[in-house]
Amino acid sequence: MTAPIPVVVAGALGRMGAEVIKAVVGAEDCSLVGAIDNTPGKEGADVGLELGLGELEVAVTADFEGCLCAVSQSVRDGGSGAVLVDFTHPSVVYEHTRAAIAYGVHPVIGTTGLSPEQLNNLTEFSAKASVGGAVIPNFSVGMVLLQQAAAAAARFYDHAELTELHHNRKADAPSGTCIKTAELMEELGKSFNPEEVDEHESLAGCRGGQRDSGLRLHSVRLPGLVAHQEVMFGAPGESYTLSHNTIDRSAYMPGVLITVRKVGSLGSLVYGLERLI
């Protein structure tokens, strides 16, 4: 039998990290080998006990590079390619991804906030190191379907606006998922929302952020929300709206496991779940 895939989870005690650990523990072809989290007072605690999963014999550590180094060493000693699943914070995601590649650990990044320049740098770095990785703005299969539908509809509509809604603890705006949706719509090379009036804002920012293509992106942050997105198209006499609603974070786990299973066969960094399904 093939050895299970060693998985390290960064942000292990967070809401997404906890879901990932549950999914990894429940997958026969995966093995949890590391849990990274900087929550004060949790260093050395068994991550399974902290999450109510029973003892897993994996201690929480705040030492990110130390954990990667230990896992990398165990892989060189005969294990299969290790994977880092990262749901932490935009301020550290670039350094985390680069460090994982440097240690030969395949990064699976769910944290958004990487700039296009950072993505390009990481893609080049991963290709030189021959360490595959994946940056996934949204692990929901339903969201991938919405994005594909939005890209198809963009051929027929010249007016479109995107709105994304998230919980009020999300640090970046607009979301990486919303940006990715806009990028897919823009692959046609067309411009959107041609000006038909000398528009002005009486309240700065109320019309959202405008991309070079003319697409406008709007962000809402409120407690009680998880993750939601709407793409609205307009034309004379009609409107066409696509929407996706994440009700529970467990919706992301099938996509996470698909990525964990496939990332080891990649030659460099890929962006978006649609590249893997």
Side-chain angles (χ1 to χ4, degrees), residues 20-35:
V20 172
I21 287 177
K22 293 175 187 177
V24 168
V25 170
E28 293 183 357
D29 58 348
C30 297
S31 175
L32 183 70
V33 297

Side-chain angles (χ1 to χ4, degrees), residues 11-272:
L13 299 181
R15 289 167 294 180
M16 281 299 296
E19 288 291 340
V20 172
I21 287 177
K22 293 175 187 177
V24 168
V25 170
E28 293 183 357
D29 58 348
C30 297
S31 175
L32 183 70
V33 297
I36 304 169
D37 198 280
N38 59 7
T39 301
K42 299 302 182 181
E43 183 84 20
D46 186 284
V47 70
L49 295 178
E50 290 295 320
L51 299 178
L53 303 176
E55 190 172 2
L56 295 178
E57 298 183 349
V58 176
V60 176
T61 178
D63 185 357
F64 184 84
E65 291 206 21
C67 184
L68 290 185
C69 182
V71 170
S72 178
Q73 184 62 51
S74 69
V75 169
R76 285 198 295 269
D77 290 342
S80 58
V83 174
L84 166 74
V85 181
D86 188 295
F87 282 98
T88 52
H89 193 274
S91 63
V92 296
V93 62
Y94 177 80
E95 289 77 11
H96 282 192
T97 308
R98 191 173 180 88
I101 295 168
Y103 281 104
V105 177
H106 301 285
V108 171
I109 308 300
T111 306
T112 57
L114 288 168
S115 69
E117 293 77 17
Q118 288 176 322
L119 280 169
N120 288 336
N121 290 340
L122 291 169
T123 300
E124 293 175 0
F125 185 54
S126 67
K128 290 178 181 178
S130 298
V131 177
V135 175
I136 312 295
N138 194 302
F139 284 97
S140 167
V141 173
M143 180 54 70
V144 172
L145 297 175
L146 178 145
Q147 290 173 332
Q148 292 175 342
R155 295 171 52 204
F156 304 99
Y157 292 92
D158 295 329
H159 295 264
E161 302 208 8
L162 297 81
T163 302
E164 54 91 0
L165 308 89
H166 281 79
H167 54 88
N168 61 328
R169 294 181 63 187
K170 183 171 178 59
D172 57 316
S175 69
T177 301
C178 194
I179 293 172
K180 177 65 174 178
T181 306
E183 290 173 344
L184 291 170
M185 295 168 63
E186 291 164 347
E187 287 183 357
L188 292 168
K190 66 185 289 185
S191 296
F192 296 88
N193 302 323
E195 291 186 6
E196 297 183 8
V197 65
D198 184 14
E199 186 177 272
H200 69 279
E201 295 177 327
S202 58
L203 179 64
C206 66
R207 287 288 288 118
Q210 188 171 32
R211 293 173 61 85
D212 291 342
S213 66
L215 286 175
R216 290 187 180 272
L217 278 58
H218 307 265
S219 296
V220 176
R221 298 290 178 266
L222 287 172
L225 298 174
V226 180
H228 315 265
Q229 183 170 293
E230 178 180 277
V231 184
M232 179 176 285
F233 298 90
E238 69 168 357
S239 64
Y240 174 51
T241 302
L242 300 167
S243 66
H244 180 267
N245 299 290
T246 301
I247 308 304
D248 187 86
R249 290 173 177 82
S250 60
Y252 300 125
M253 294 309 107
V256 169
L257 291 177
I258 286 172
T259 308
V260 166
R261 289 165 179 148
K262 291 189 175 183
V263 71
S265 64
L266 301 175
S268 64
L269 199 71
V270 300
Y271 181 62

